[in-house]
Structures are given as C-alpha cells and as structure tokens.
Amino acid sequence: MGLFAGKHEVKVGDMVYAWTTDKGVAAKAECGGAVTGLLKFALENKLVDAVLAVKKGYDLYDAVPAVISDPKDIDQTAGSLHCGSILLSKMVKSFFDGASNKKIGITVKGCDMMGLIELAKRKEINLANILMIGVNCGGSVNPTTARRMIQDKFGVDPDTVKKEEIDKGQFIIEYEGGHKGISMDELEEAGYGRRSNCRRCKYKIPRQADLACGNWGVIGEKAGKATFVEVCSAKGADILSKAISAGKIATEAASPKGIEVRGKTEGAMLKLGEKWRKKDFSALGPNLWETIAKETGRCIKCYTCIEKCPVCFPSAEMLKGDSYMVKRGLIPADPMFHLRRFAHISDSCINCGQCEELCPMEIPLALFSHAVRVECDMNYKPKLGKAEYTN
Ligand code: FAD
Ligand code: SF4
Ligand code: SF4
Ligand code: SF4
C-alpha cells in the first residue's frame, strides 16, 4: 500500500457506510459523497488520469457527460440526476481511445457497467485501465417524460423544480413553494415514470464494478448522510483502503439490519423487473416478427440506433452506407435492415435503452432486442455472452 499504508484495509465482500470528509463535496453529494470523494482522491493522487462522470447541464433534466482531470472541478459532478438517461460506456472509446494509455475513473450505473464489459469483450476498451465506481440504480426517467409528468401529474411547472429524487418508491420533487411525492407505481400505471427498459432492468446493484455504492440499507442516524458501499473487486478494495488511510473517506461497518433492508429492497426490485418483463414481452403478441416489421416500417434509416449502441461496432463502410446490402438513404428501410441489426446485437443486448431513447421515429427498439435476448438466454444453451453478469 506504500504511501497510504495504514490499518484501514478493506477487502472484497465488505459492506460499509462511507462518507467524504471533504465539506465541499459533502454539500453537493446525493448522500454520503463517497463516490465523488473517491474520484477526487483518485485524481489528486494520480491513481487515474481523468474521470468520466455526469453533471447538470442547462437544467436538472439535462444530464451531460463530464470529463474531469483537475480534482478541483470534480464537485460539479456530485449528486444524482434521475432524469438523465445518458450512457457513458461508448464514450470511453470516443473520448479516451478506449483507455488504451490512460487510467480512467468512471461512475457507472448497471447499464454503463455492462456496456463497458461488452466493449472489453470486443477489445474496444482496456478494462485494466478503468476504475468503475458503481451506483445502484432503481431507474431513470426520460427528460421529456419527466417534464410532462411534473406538469400533468404533479400540477407543477417543471421549470420551478429545484431538486428531484426517487425514494421509497416515490418520485419526489422540491419546487418553488413546496415539495410533493407520488408513488412510482401510480405514475407508471398512468404511462409516466421510469423508462420502459429501466422497468425491466435487473442490474440494480452493479457488482461487476469495482465498488457498488447506493443509499439502500443506510438506516438510523446515518440515513441520508452516508453511502452504502459494497466492495466488489481488489481494485475497489485498494482505492477505498487508500482513501480511508489518507483521511479522505470515513467509514463504519454497515449495520446487519441495514444489510437486511438492502437485500429485501433489491429482491423487491428484481421481482418488479420480472413483472414488467412479463407485461411488456407478452404485449408484443404471438408474432414478434410481424410486430417488428410493422413498427420499423417508419424507420428513416438515420443510423442513430447503430451509432449509439454499446454492443454494435459497424465498419466504416457500413456507416457510410456502402455495404453489400445496406445502402444509406434508401427509405423506407426494408425490414431486413433491422433483422440484420437484431441478428448482430441480440445475443448481447444489455437493455440500456439508448437505441429506443434516441430513435427519432420512436420505435421501441430496446424492447425488441431485449425480448429476443431474454428469450435466447432462457431457452438456448450454451448461454450467449453472459459470463460476467446475469440479465
Ligand atoms: P455522489 O458523490 O453524489 O456522486 C454521484 C455520482 O453519480 C457522480 O459521479 C455523478 O456524476 C453520477 N451521476 C449522477 N447522475 C447520473 C446518471 N444519470 N447516470 C450516471 N451517473 C450519474 N441508489 C440506491 O441505493 N437505490 C436506487 O434506487 C438508486 N437509484 C439511482 C438512480 C439513478 C439514475 C442514479 C444516477 C443513482 C441512483 N442511486 C440509487 C445511487 C444514489 O443516488 C447515489 O448515487 C449513491 O448512493 C452514491 O451516493 P454519493 O453521495 O456517494 O454520490
Ligand atoms: Fe438504471 Fe438499469 Fe435503467 Fe441503466 S437500464 S438506468 S441501470 S435501471
Ligand atoms: Fe431507424 Fe430509428 Fe434506427 Fe434511425 S434510430 S435508423 S429511425 S430505427
Ligand atoms: Fe442498448 Fe439498444 Fe444496443 Fe440493446 S440494442 S445494447 S438496448 S442500444
């Protein structure tokens, strides 16, 4: 451990309540500020060359990626933006040349983490140079849906909202003149709430990251003031040990009751995810191909779904629209354009929702590829491309 040697060593499997000792970070953080505190510590001590995280852009419905190399700038990334449906994985390729020569620290939700693992399998990024600080994730809300939901269901002008959070199954807003919470179940039954892929998602605690951080299970006097950290890898144990020894992060053992609460909450979220899968997949009807052909009939072949997908790396020829069969600009796209794409990605679709989120024609693409992926995983052996995580 060298410079940071001390008695505060943590090991893989440990579960602790952790909080930053940096007052500036603590003031902006979502709960204990352990995530930002650790990223700041990693930058200050050159354990990473840069950090890729998320910060508020124009307003709280506008989550934008942030590349930070000066530790003084990291505070602006503290806090959770639940109306930010951004995926960071592919940016490691575009911003950092796949972390080939630089060490990068990244905040990852389950989908960001899976995207990184899929990119590493394709040798597009170097996972050895990446520190993944995971955040638990109950789901995110599309920014446009969030604005409509706040206007229609809360009766509040979305531009007056100062803070939003998702807590104990409620979407809660603080706005000029008050605060209000409505149960997520009620919002989702009414067609609002989390994105459809998030409802089906089962990566609630990102244990393939180096650390998994969240607020589930922080109870008693530490509630709201500490981050629940599960140590998931030797790399995660190392940075947390060093930060504790340097006095940048304080910890105490998670209470057994808190661990139980966290386990129960995770279990309930997984059940809910299964319920949504059943509902969404059965609504596709008995002839999935017919449904896909009908819905994709309005595709304008803009290629956004291809360019943003973390498991899809088309050749330069394909992107130019110069492959044998796929010509850019020929619209309407023939259904085989989509069949070819599904054939390419459906064994490893991570249900991140980016294709669906960004499709200008509002085609439910993630629903289709997720349905195919889940069906394949359930009914065919060997399991396709899922060594590291469980879908
Ligand atoms: P901070 O020090 O405040 O750091 C937060 C980090 O999250 C920063 O690095 C920031 O850049 C990053 N971030 C903010 N918004 C996003 C985003 N949209 N996508 C990716 N990164 C982002 N915890 C639970 O226990 N249960 C949940 O149900 C839950 N749902 C969440 C849903 C979302 C969309 C997000 C972003 C987080 C969620 N969390 C959840 C995690 C929780 O909100 C805190 O991030 C976590 O407890 C760490 O707290 P902290 O004070 O240490 O984080
Ligand atoms: Fe969170 Fe899963 Fe949605 Fe990603 S897909 S934002 S991990 S709920
Ligand atoms: Fe077609 Fe939508 Fe993909 Fe664009 S994003 S190519 S419109 S399916
Ligand atoms: Fe994500 Fe869509 Fe690609 Fe699946 S197909 S990994 S949901 S962008």
Side-chain angles (χ1 to χ4, degrees), residues 30-31 33-36 54 77 79-81 107 109 136 138 214-216 227:
E30 187 67 14
C31 25
V35 171
T36 310
V54 174
T77 65
S80 299
L81 294 163
T107 313
K109 304 178 297 300
N136 298 354
N215 48 33
W216 289 336
T227 311

Side-chain angles (χ1 to χ4, degrees), residues 165-226:
E165 63 174 322
I166 300 177
D167 192 27
K168 296 189 182 67
Q170 286 202 323
F171 187 85
I172 302 165
I173 54 168
E174 255 178 57
Y175 55 98
E176 288 161 23
H179 77 101
K180 213 174 202 178
I182 300 184
S183 106
M184 208 47 128
D185 287 346
E186 184 187 330
L187 293 168
E188 289 179 354
E189 285 307 325
Y192 300 97
R194 298 167 301 159
R195 296 182 293 156
S196 118
N197 63 303
C198 291
R199 296 172 192 175
R200 299 189 304 272
C201 173
K202 290 197 191 174
Y203 305 101
K204 298 298 161 192
I205 300 183
R207 294 193 174 90
Q208 284 77 28
D210 297 304
L211 297 168
C213 305
N215 48 33
W216 289 336
V218 186
I219 56 170
E221 61 179 32
K222 283 280 177 288
K225 297 183 199 131

Side-chain angles (χ1 to χ4, degrees), residues 318-389:
M318 170 73 178
L319 279 177
K320 270 191 279 163
D322 197 18
S323 78
Y324 293 130
M325 290 178 280
V326 178
K327 303 286 175 216
R328 196 161 197 153
L330 284 182
I331 51 172
D334 74 296
M336 285 302 288
F337 167 67
H338 288 283
L339 185 62
R340 278 186 290 260
R341 182 174 163 272
F342 286 131
H344 166 50
I345 45 96
S346 285
D347 69 337
S348 42
C349 167
I350 59 163
N351 183 38
C352 66
Q354 293 298 298
C355 49
E356 188 166 320
E357 183 86 2
L358 298 166
C359 173
M361 301 312 288
E362 300 190 353
I363 300 169
L365 294 162
L367 172 60
F368 298 149
S369 45
H370 190 214
V372 175
R373 163 84 197 251
V374 171
E375 284 271 301
C376 289
D377 280 352
M378 275 166 38
N379 299 311
Y380 297 95
K381 287 187 178 175
K383 300 284 182 202
L384 297 171
K386 59 173 291 189
E388 291 89 351
Y389 46 79

Side-chain angles (χ1 to χ4, degrees), residues 5 34 46 59 88 92 150 175 211 219 269 282 294 299 318 330 357 386:
K46 308 212 178 314
D59 58 24
L88 297 178
V92 175
I150 290 166
Y175 55 98
L211 297 168
I219 56 170
M269 291 302 291
S282 17
K294 181 170 156 271
C299 167
M318 170 73 178
L330 284 182
E357 183 86 2
K386 59 173 291 189

Side-chain angles (χ1 to χ4, degrees), residues 113-188:
M113 175 205 77
M114 290 182 295
L116 290 176
I117 293 171
E118 290 299 331
L119 289 164
K121 284 185 195 166
R122 289 158 179 75
K123 304 204 183 322
E124 293 289 341
I125 61 164
N126 178 12
L127 219 43
N129 273 346
I130 297 176
L131 170 73
M132 290 193 270
I133 309 262
V135 288
N136 298 354
C137 186
S140 56
V141 182
N142 168 284
T144 314
T145 308
R147 281 184 160 274
R148 271 196 294 110
M149 174 172 88
I150 290 166
Q151 187 78 61
D152 300 349
K153 294 290 289 178
F154 289 74
V156 171
D157 175 356
D159 287 325
T160 64
V161 176
K162 291 187 273 186
K163 189 168 166 33
E164 51 70 29
E165 63 174 322
I166 300 177
D167 192 27
K168 296 189 182 67
Q170 286 202 323
F171 187 85
I172 302 165
I173 54 168
E174 255 178 57
Y175 55 98
E176 288 161 23
H179 77 101
K180 213 174 202 178
I182 300 184
S183 106
M184 208 47 128
D185 287 346
E186 184 187 330
L187 293 168
E188 289 179 354

